[in-house]
């Protein structure tokens, strides 16, 4: 755990150094908040406001407020994970939500579990973690994991590419890349993977 001010200064420095997140949020007026503010980045489009703030313990939280109701979507203590989720949200605001590869293949090195309140927990590396909240979040969490493993140059190309030339995303959904039907939970996803084991060629080094 680290002081809120120190965590905020670290993320603000990272985002000042690399402004790719601003490019990702095309036309949505993302703003890096001034030093001393617990909100680090804030963006608004019509009646939807989104921001990253620093919670006690130096944890970064991503919030979305629509028509006055604020919901937390993401939290992590890892500054690189906070930056990556911000990039992912910017890409999502462009309609880039369907990876060219199936996100439902288990990303190698990630532990994935459900939280008691219905959220999804990812952990990887040396004590790194992130939590996702809301509806339909398993695909978002898995997509985040695959983006974390992706080459940064490819992510940069994706941010700047029009939909039909994007190296990472389809402009629409691809049925053959879909995972469990309906709104999959972590449990349903793991059962789906188990059912596919005899013919699956996915990476067995993944940690579930």
């Amino acid at each position: 755990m680290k002081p809120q001010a120190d965590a905020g200064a670290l993320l603000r420095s990272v985002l000042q150094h690399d402004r790719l997140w601003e490019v990702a949020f095309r036309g949505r007026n993302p703003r890096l908040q001034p030093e001393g503010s617990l909100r680090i980045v804030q963006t608004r489009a019509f009646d939807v406001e989104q921001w990253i703030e620093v919670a006690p313990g130096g944890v970064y939280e991503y919030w979305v407020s629509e028509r006055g109701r604020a919901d937390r979507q993401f939290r992590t203590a890892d500054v690189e994970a906070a930056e990556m989720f911000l990039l992912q949200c910017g890409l999502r605001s462009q309609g880039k939500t369907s990876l060219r590869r199936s996100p439902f293949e288990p990303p190698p090195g990630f532990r994935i579990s459900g939280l008691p309140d219905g959220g999804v927990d990812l952990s990887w590396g040396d004590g790194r973690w992130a939590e996702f909240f809301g509806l339909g979040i398993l695909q978002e969490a898995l997509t985040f994991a695959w983006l974390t493993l992706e080459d940064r140059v490819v992510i940069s190309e994706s941010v700047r590419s029009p939909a039909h030339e994007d190296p990472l995303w389809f402009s629409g959904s691809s049925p053959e890349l879909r995972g469990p039907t309906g709104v999959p939970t972590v449990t349903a996803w793991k059962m789906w993977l188990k059912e596919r084991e005899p013919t699956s060629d996915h990476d067995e080094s993944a940690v579930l």
Side-chain angles (χ1 to χ4, degrees):
M1 297 177 68
K2 53 182 175 285
Q4 286 171 283
D6 291 351
L10 177 59
L11 180 56
R12 187 174 281 107
S13 174
V14 167
L15 297 179
Q16 285 173 333
H17 177 72
D18 185 352
R19 310 295 288 230
L20 189 61
W21 56 275
E22 279 188 310
V23 182
F25 278 99
R26 293 174 185 168
R28 290 180 177 263
N29 302 315
R31 297 181 184 277
L32 193 62
Q33 299 302 294
E35 292 185 19
S37 172
L38 292 180
R39 289 192 181 184
I40 308 302
V41 168
Q42 190 163 331
T43 183
R44 180 189 295 272
F46 303 105
D47 59 350
V48 179
E49 185 179 14
Q50 304 173 63
W51 67 90
I52 288 182
E53 68 182 33
V54 186
V59 173
Y60 305 109
E61 297 185 338
Y62 194 94
W63 290 79
V64 175
S65 176
E66 186 172 3
R67 299 184 178 91
R69 173 179 172 174
D71 294 299
R72 184 177 60 183
Q73 291 192 342
F74 173 84
R75 66 191 297 265
T76 184
D78 186 85
V79 68
E80 293 179 2
E83 181 191 20
M84 181 58 69
F85 188 75
L86 183 63
L87 273 172
Q88 183 177 350
C89 289
L91 290 164
R92 187 174 61 211
S93 74
Q94 298 182 38
K96 296 182 177 183
T97 58
S98 299
L99 285 174
R100 290 188 179 274
R101 62 162 301 128
S102 171
F104 291 103
E105 296 297 329
F110 281 79
R111 287 184 172 84
I112 303 165
S113 59
L115 296 169
D117 59 2
V120 173
D121 175 77
L122 299 184
S123 59
W124 69 101
D126 185 15
R128 302 176 73 183
W129 60 270
E131 296 173 349
F132 298 75
F133 308 92
L135 299 175
I137 53 170
L138 177 60
Q139 181 171 349
E140 183 166 292
L142 290 168
T143 298
F144 168 88
W146 281 112
L147 284 177
T148 300
L149 295 169
E150 188 57 71
D151 186 277
R152 182 72 181 205
V153 172
V154 176
I155 293 174
S156 180
E157 291 174 356
S158 172
V159 168
R160 293 182 167 89
S161 296
H164 65 283
E165 296 178 358
D166 195 292
L168 288 179
W169 308 91
F170 282 114
S171 57
S173 178
S174 176
E176 66 271 19
L177 298 183
R178 289 178 184 163
T181 57
V183 180
T185 63
V186 172
T187 300
W189 172 67
K190 289 184 178 181
M191 290 178 61
W192 178 77
L193 288 175
K194 190 172 183 179
E195 291 169 356
R196 297 169 68 242
E197 280 181 356
T199 57
S200 174
D201 60 355
H202 67 254
D203 189 342
E204 295 298 334
S205 67
V207 182
L208 302 180

